[in-house]
Amino acid sequence: MTMAAGSIGRLPVPEVLAHADRLARTGGPSVPQGARELADLPVTGPAEVLGISRNAAERHGALLLSSGGTTGEPKLTFVPHHQAVERLSARWRPLVPGSIMLNAFNAGRMWASHYYMQRLAEHSGATVIPFGPLTAEDAMAWAPRLARIGVTAVAGTPTGLADLAEGVLAAGAELPVKTVIWMAEPWTDTKRDAVTRAFPQAGFWGNYGSVETYVIAVNDPRCDPAVLHLLPEQVLEPDDGGALLTRVGEGWTVPVVRYRLGDRVAPAECRCGRGDGLRVLGRADDMVKFRGATFGIGEVLDVVRSVPGVTEAQLGLAGADGDRRTAERLTVRFLGTADAEDVTAELLRAFDRFRQVMSHHPKAVTAVRAERLARIDRTTKVPPATWSKWSEEDR
């Protein structure tokens, strides 16, 4: 009995089958008769996680938390109060006793990251400042006080951390930050550069997961920035429809078998030399229909970011009210010094289907330089795309 070729991580299949059978008695799907391989087990989703985690919460209590809903409907999960930090800390310790961490994740609205950082600091014996996100202006005003306090670690989304860094740089303050903890979205070169300039002695500590699964994989200053390592006692099956996660053992927030994540992942080598490396390739559901053509949001953004002078980009899509899979108009909003006409020209060069659309609908594809990209208020993340309602005037 073996794992599928290309899987990340390894687990004994008999152990997985026994684990799946136990989960079937607490809200998981039944194990098919004669199942012998991981692939024989059914794929699970948010409904199973909600049922299993609710059953556990009735016995031990929990935090009821929700996914961010950045690209889809929010998902509810009952997360145990321990938040799996003991298991996590066995492999990933960004904080130590004496650390003073600024927690720049947004609190409230059932988003997990702020509370996860509070629990991690408590478990690590660190001091935590539960501030929430700071604008660059807030950070500039607070930077001298944060320097006097002696903040040694900061935690937030790359977008929020870049705002903090810009304020610290503008204030000319020197914070003794040695640790940058990040998650929830990928870095851009511009954001990472700002954080590095503000905190030149800091190492970057990343983690990857979701509210439903909590932390799946981590990296640290030894790693390639975009490579993370799967935590032990888990296996990931890459799949174009979203990677499938299976884990065994105690101490996780939620036990899962073949839970479909929202992202596509691929195995990766890392400069640190450790195994079970992975890269997150993007959302599995980022395909959009556009006036008879189909494109991936990620592939369009990759082209836009390749244009000299573009530092960050976001798509503005307009479609029928409530339809987030079919667009009638595409607007690229970007930051940087590039000319909007150059960005549009590169899109039309790279995507023949866009040229065909433009021949019939000249307003359908445009680019505009922006002062700021749209954000998700709840999470401080910059979503890859935003949606608005299309009208006949957009023809």
Side-chain angles (χ1 to χ4, degrees), residues 58-132:
E58 290 174 355
R59 299 191 301 274
H60 306 295
L63 298 163
L64 179 58
L65 299 173
S66 168
S67 64
T70 302
T71 59
E73 288 296 318
K75 307 175 186 70
L76 297 177
T77 305
F78 291 83
V79 176
H81 293 294
H82 62 71
Q83 297 182 68
V85 296
E86 185 168 346
R87 176 179 275 277
L88 173 67
S89 296
R91 292 298 179 106
W92 190 75
R93 294 190 65 86
L95 303 175
V96 297
S99 295
I100 301 176
M101 181 184 72
L102 176 69
N103 182 356
F105 284 105
N106 219 0
R109 301 285 181 169
M110 299 169 68
W111 194 43
S113 297
H114 184 90
Y115 307 100
Y116 159 42
M117 284 295 104
Q118 297 293 109
R119 180 70 185 96
L120 180 66
E122 179 186 11
H123 180 79
S124 304
T127 296
V128 60
I129 306 170
F131 205 109

Side-chain angles (χ1 to χ4, degrees), residues 186 208-209 217 226-228 236 262-266 268 278-283:
Y208 165 68
V227 176
L228 300 108
L236 267 180
D263 295 317
R264 293 177 294 110
V265 303
L278 64 95
R279 289 181 184 271
V280 180
L281 304 180
R283 298 292 298 175

